[in-house]
Amino acid sequence: MLNIIDLEKRWFRYKIKSYIPHAAIVSSVLIILSIILIYTTQEDSVVATVEKPLHQNLIVQSESITIAPIEKIETEPIYVEPKPIVVKKQLPLARPQYKEVTQVKLSPSLDFMKKMQDSRQPYYKNEPTNGRSRTVRKETSTTKKVIKTKAAPKQVRQDPVAIKKIQIKRQNTQNDIFEIIERFKKNNNPALSLFVAKKYYELGEYKQSYNYALITNQINKNIESSWIIFSKSLVKLGKRNKAIKTLQKYIKQSHSNAARILLDEIRSGKFR
Amino acid sequence: MNSIYLKSKDVFLDIVNPKDYIQLDRVSTIYQSLKDSIKKPLKMILLYGRPGTGKSMFLNKLHQDLSSSQSVFLYKTPILDESEFYKTLAQDIFEVRYSGELNFTQFMKIVESKNFDVVPVVLLDEAQLYSESLMERIRLLSDTRTIKFVITLHKTEKEDIIAKEHFQTRIWESIELENASSTELKIYIQKKLMKANCFDSANMFTGKSVHRIHKITNGNYRDTNKLLYTLFDIYTIYENNNKITAIKTEQVPNKLIEMAAIHTGLIDA
């Protein structure tokens, strides 16, 4: 006789046993999945924790930034209000003023100076230049300021009247002359001294133009324009005969047509 | 008590009765080939297979079928004593009673003195139990062509060696019996039940339940018989305890199959 109750119990145990491997597989799969999920969520949370404070900080910062001017406007309306107004007004005005500055930029003398810097020659010692050099340095500093104003247009924009003063041609030529004299002292280049002589002649400083033309002729006797400036300066200084003699001597050496024309003009009285 | 479950239970009693032989397509083909082999002038036929594949039933069936037409001698249990073996054969086949010890030489003299028109067939079941020397003598007897031997062997590793060493060159016909497939098992169960007029019980075995039975028994007829016997025993107990309504009757539930398998030891619970 079978013991059914016992057999049912054994069957129940067998069923549980038979489900164990399935349950183990399912549970292991679930565990693996949960581990993967936890791992991925942790990664996400790490990213989130990294991202969140950044956002929060950004918000706080932005708030601090935004709150600060509002408070200032409320408490000190006099100080706060003009600042944005100044900025707003400057921005549209800046563009036309900037164009004027670019005009200053295009002065030809500065490029010329830069080119002359490349060729270095022995220092010119004969000329006493202590006082002049100081003045030159001062004025170069002013030119540097002008350059700076080009680079930083805000300063230029703030006082346009000052820029107009710098734009005076005379000042530029004077600056150029001092700059070139400085270069000439270093290089002893006759082209520079001739340029200085011509500039002084244009400015009406005939004594200086005479001196620099003489220096040029001492360095190089074959420069036609230097002899002409030298002669013209003599005429302007009232030494007409000396000018005629020097031109005659030069014409004999060089057979220069320009010198002949000038000689004729001096003789005829066209050039005074 | 005329319970269908009790009646069905008795169908699966582990008794080798040729009347209970179930004709399955594959099995009937094998059986026919065995019958044909006996008609051939073969010295020895080997019938082998795993325990419970129906070898004994085959021999019984063969004995029943051939006994009407020729002299067939079936030895279900092996005669392990050599002298007793010869004496039994001499008495049954040649009707020679021998009181004292009968050795192989004496028995051979008897065999050679007799001549039959139809060679008598000796069916030896469980031949793996015979000693090696006796098996060798059986081979020598078969060589005389006076007696035809049909022997059955369990197909185990050891028995395979015996088959190889002693019968490989001497066996002219070898038939292997195998376990039933799921479909064959269903036919086997249903035919067996229907043969006993247990139609309701036969209808209880659906493909699903038979598949479960096949999974447990691997299609072994003996194990199936054991399992189904216990199964119907469980049904009977449920019926006696008035708990039959608690279980399925239109289809054999897996629970009961598994319970029967646990009880028979086919499932280790």
Side-chain angles (χ1 to χ4, degrees), chain B:
Chain B
M1 191 185 249
N2 289 321
S3 166
I4 55 153
Y5 303 113
L6 196 65
K7 208 177 172 185
S8 303
K9 187 178 98 171
D10 292 339
V11 170
F12 295 101
L13 271 169
D14 194 22
I15 299 163
V16 181
N17 188 350
K19 287 178 186 173
D20 298 333
Y21 180 79
I22 304 299
Q23 285 283 354
L24 298 167
D25 288 346
R26 188 160 58 97
V27 176
S28 60
T29 313
I30 292 164
Y31 182 72
Q32 194 56 48
S33 69
L34 179 66
K35 272 176 89 175
D36 295 342
S37 301
I38 286 163
K39 286 173 189 170
K40 288 175 193 172
L42 299 169
K43 293 177 188 174
M44 198 179 278
I45 297 156
L46 175 69
L47 200 63
Y48 70 101
R50 292 192 176 277
T53 48
K55 296 184 294 292
S56 301
M57 181 62 89
F58 247 71
L59 277 188
N60 277 278
K61 178 72 179 158
L62 193 70
H63 179 255
Q64 192 193 43
D65 289 353
L66 293 176
S67 56
S68 58
S69 57
Q70 66 179 98
S71 55
V72 186
F73 306 96
L74 172 65
Y75 300 96
K76 289 179 186 178
T77 48
I79 306 154
L80 297 171
D81 184 70
E82 205 173 314
S83 175
E84 196 63 35
F85 181 75
Y86 301 138
K87 276 162 82 175
T88 311
L89 285 183
Q91 193 179 337
D92 293 347
I93 299 164
F94 306 107
E95 292 173 346
V96 176
R97 284 189 178 267
Y98 212 88
S99 55
E101 284 277 314
L102 185 67
N103 57 28
F104 181 68
T105 317
Q106 289 167 330
F107 183 68
M108 278 295 279
K109 278 180 185 173
I110 296 163
V111 170
E112 282 166 359
S113 64
K114 301 279 179 181
N115 200 2
F116 296 104
D117 293 332
V118 182
V119 179
V121 179
V122 175
L123 308 172
L124 298 175
D125 199 5
E126 309 282 352
Q128 75 277 355
L129 294 171
Y130 287 103
S131 67
E132 212 170 298
S133 62
L134 189 56
M135 285 304 295
E136 191 65 26
R137 295 223 169 115
I138 291 164
R139 182 191 69 78
L140 288 168
L141 282 167
S142 68
D143 284 346
T144 60
R145 291 182 187 270
T146 316
I147 307 165
K148 190 175 277 185
F149 285 94
V150 178
I151 59 167
T152 64
L153 279 172
H154 281 179
K155 195 196 173 187
T156 58
E157 208 170 297
K158 193 187 168 189
E159 285 136 20
D160 269 356
I161 291 161
I162 294 164
K164 276 176 189 173
E165 284 179 357
H166 297 279
F167 304 104
Q168 206 168 32
T169 53
R170 290 144 192 162
I171 290 163
W172 290 265
E173 189 76 50
S174 64
I175 297 156
E176 187 182 2
L177 292 172
E178 287 176 344
N179 286 334
S181 66
S182 186
T183 328
E184 283 170 348
L185 199 68
K186 190 182 175 184
I187 296 161
Y188 171 77
I189 294 162
Q190 287 183 336
K191 271 193 172 182
K192 208 163 183 173
L193 284 165
M194 286 196 298
K195 218 172 181 179
N197 296 322
C198 299
F199 300 105
D200 293 328
S201 304
N203 285 331
M204 283 165 70
F205 290 90
T206 58
K208 195 184 169 185
S209 55
V210 173
H211 182 73
R212 185 76 188 110
I213 292 163
H214 185 265
K215 211 174 177 183
I216 292 163
T217 61
N218 291 316
N220 189 282
Y221 294 105
R222 188 175 291 154
D223 289 341
T224 306
N225 287 340
K226 268 168 70 182
L227 182 81
L228 295 180
Y229 178 86
T230 315
L231 176 80
F232 283 110
D233 198 16
I234 292 163
Y235 265 111
T236 315
I237 292 161
Y238 273 116
E239 195 179 38
N240 292 341
N241 296 342
N242 297 319
K243 286 181 179 175
I244 196 73
T245 49
I247 52 167
K248 282 183 185 177
T249 49
E250 72 277 8
Q251 184 190 329
V252 181
N254 280 348
K255 184 189 171 182
L256 290 196
I257 294 166
E258 284 161 5
M259 277 169 73
I262 290 162
H263 183 73
T264 50
L266 292 166
I267 285 176
D268 185 29

Side-chain angles (χ1 to χ4, degrees), chain A residues 79-94:
Chain A
Y79 292 106
V80 176
E81 281 176 3
K83 281 179 183 175
I85 292 158
V86 168
V87 173
K88 283 174 184 175
K89 282 178 181 177
Q90 276 179 347
L91 283 165
L93 285 168

Side-chain angles (χ1 to χ4, degrees), chain A residues 2 4 8 10-11 14-15, chain B residues 212 237-238 258 263 267:
Chain A
L2 276 167
I4 285 292
E8 277 184 336
R10 283 172 73 190
W11 174 81
Y14 159 75
K15 268 289 157 192
Chain B
R212 185 76 188 110
I237 292 161
Y238 273 116
E258 284 161 5
H263 183 73
I267 285 176

Side-chain angles (χ1 to χ4, degrees), chain A residues 85-106:
Chain A
I85 292 158
V86 168
V87 173
K88 283 174 184 175
K89 282 178 181 177
Q90 276 179 347
L91 283 165
L93 285 168
R95 286 173 187 171
Q97 281 177 355
Y98 189 74
K99 282 175 185 174
E100 285 174 17
V101 173
T102 49
Q103 283 176 357
V104 177
K105 229 186 204 177
L106 291 167

Side-chain angles (χ1 to χ4, degrees), chain A residues 122-133:
Chain A
Y123 185 73
Y124 181 71
K125 293 173 183 177
N126 294 334
E127 195 75 5
T129 54
N130 288 333
R132 283 176 189 172
S133 64

